[in-house]
Amino acid sequence: MIRPSYFYDLLIKNGTDFFAGVPDSLLKNLCAYITDNAPAENHIISANEGSATGLATGYHLATGKIPMIYMQNSGEGNMINPLMSIADPDVYSIPMLIVIGWRGEPGVHDEPQHVKQGKVTCELLDAMKVPYEVLSDNEADLPAQFEKAYKYIKDNNAQYAFVIRKGTFDDYTLQNNIPVSGNMSREQAIEKIMLAADEKTAFVSTTGMISRELYELRDKYNMGHDRDFLTVGGMGHASQIALSIAMQKKDRAVFCVDGDGASIMQMGGMATIGSRKPSNYVHFVLNNGAHDSVGGQPTVGREINLCKIAEGCGYENVIKVSTLEELDAVLKQEDTKQKLTFIEVLVTKGARKDLGRPKSTPVENKNALMKFLK
């Protein structure tokens, strides 16, 4: 295994001291080490991977140095546009090192949302003509891999990628783990929301822990899973899926159960929701200020005013709650049932150690929901 400290030291020795990206479970130990050791102004956990590419571009323009961006391979799609249309050698020729966690690597068991992305991770880099190497898990091999990468980056003013397999980095625990206050867990909030809904309400839940907890809560109450769309991939897009369902099925309520990291990643979607104003749509954002399913790295969710953003986007009924009692009261209000509603729910970080994963396949989930919506 690679010690995150060793990898970080090699980056610094090669002149890379700026980092931007979206945390990933395969990179969580490295991300945690960067968070603890890089100056705050030189490490930005970005809204999405395209934003990280923009941040790296700006840093190079200002300093002439080689920045690093990091992401799960599912974020390659967000990166492609700015990488190809701004940073590419055919355009502005911005040098950068890209570190990509290889979820869904062929031959390695993973969740269904990672399978296709895992198959095409390296093919996408080939298509973009970004050279790459799968990082060795032997520290003795790293100096040569770094030398090769940085020679290419400097000779060509271009990008080079390290693809990271599961288990490459040794354990590292985040020391700068900012506590997040809260009076209820995310699972308690989901349970309250789920039980308050009538039998016709459709749910769209976001990527990560929220969908996993909703699935297990349905099992707990023997409710079945036919009214839930579990957005297991495509982080940030649950709100748009829910909007389109709400616009087509005006006779039923649609609850979008979102997270702070996901809503920030594709925040422009809130403007579309607010402009359409479906009265049967309730948008919950469970805000714990963290990317909880990939190591608990912080988001800016607790530093910004999501309710004011929702108001500015045109949501008609906007509420922030911090207790189960407040959440219960809001769920019972007539405005919540009759107007486009945004509810920010302040929750704590963390999840049950024994939290499972959905047992049904995504296609089974889709078919059951479509039957329910008919």
Side-chain angles (χ1 to χ4, degrees), residues 6 35 61 76 95 104 142 190 230 288 307 341:
Y6 184 67
T35 297
L61 293 174
E76 279 183 294
L142 258 61
I190 296 168
L230 309 176
N288 63 4
C307 286
T341 296

Side-chain angles (χ1 to χ4, degrees), residues 107-125:
V108 179
H109 175 72
D110 211 329
E111 299 307 308
Q113 67 268 26
H114 296 297
V115 172
K116 175 54 71 76
Q117 189 72 44
K119 289 177 183 175
V120 303
T121 292
C122 298
E123 292 176 10
L124 284 173
L125 293 169

Side-chain angles (χ1 to χ4, degrees), residues 148-220:
K148 179 181 177 183
Y150 277 90
K151 184 177 189 315
Y152 180 87
I153 292 169
K154 291 173 182 176
D155 287 351
N156 298 279
N157 263 329
Q159 304 85 42
Y160 192 97
F162 284 144
V163 178
I164 312 297
R165 287 187 164 123
K166 185 177 182 180
T168 295
F169 285 108
D170 204 354
D171 288 342
Y172 178 84
T173 301
L174 182 67
Q175 305 300 307
N176 187 24
N177 196 351
I178 301 165
V180 175
S181 61
N183 298 304
M184 59 181 138
S185 69
R186 185 182 47 245
E187 190 165 4
Q188 287 174 317
I190 296 168
E191 186 171 28
K192 181 69 73 175
I193 293 163
M194 183 187 80
L195 295 176
D198 65 31
E199 291 184 354
K200 285 187 68 179
T201 300
F203 279 70
V204 179
S205 56
T206 192
T207 318
M209 299 292 192
I210 288 174
S211 281
R212 291 168 62 184
E213 287 170 343
L214 176 60
Y215 188 93
E216 293 219 338
L217 284 164
R218 291 291 191 199
D219 278 349
K220 176 181 174 181

Side-chain angles (χ1 to χ4, degrees), residues 18-126:
F18 179 86
F19 313 93
V22 177
D24 166 45
S25 56
L26 303 192
L27 305 177
K28 66 181 181 181
N29 298 314
L30 175 63
C31 292
Y33 190 87
I34 291 170
T35 297
D36 282 343
N37 290 276
E41 65 270 18
N42 277 22
H43 180 213
I44 301 177
I45 296 175
S46 56
N48 59 56
E49 296 81 3
S51 298
T53 310
L55 289 162
T57 298
Y59 183 77
H60 173 73
L61 293 174
T63 66
K65 295 181 180 180
I66 298 169
M68 184 189 105
I69 61 174
Y70 59 85
M71 67 198 70
Q72 187 180 104
N73 54 352
S74 59
E76 279 183 294
N78 285 334
M79 170 187 69
I80 285 171
N81 177 20
L83 194 68
M84 294 290 90
S85 60
I86 299 173
D88 191 83
D90 285 342
V91 195
Y92 284 107
S93 203
I94 307 294
M96 62 183 74
L97 181 69
I98 307 168
V99 176
I100 303 171
W102 197 357
R103 295 297 302 269
E105 178 188 352
V108 179
H109 175 72
D110 211 329
E111 299 307 308
Q113 67 268 26
H114 296 297
V115 172
K116 175 54 71 76
Q117 189 72 44
K119 289 177 183 175
V120 303
T121 292
C122 298
E123 292 176 10
L124 284 173
L125 293 169
D126 286 334

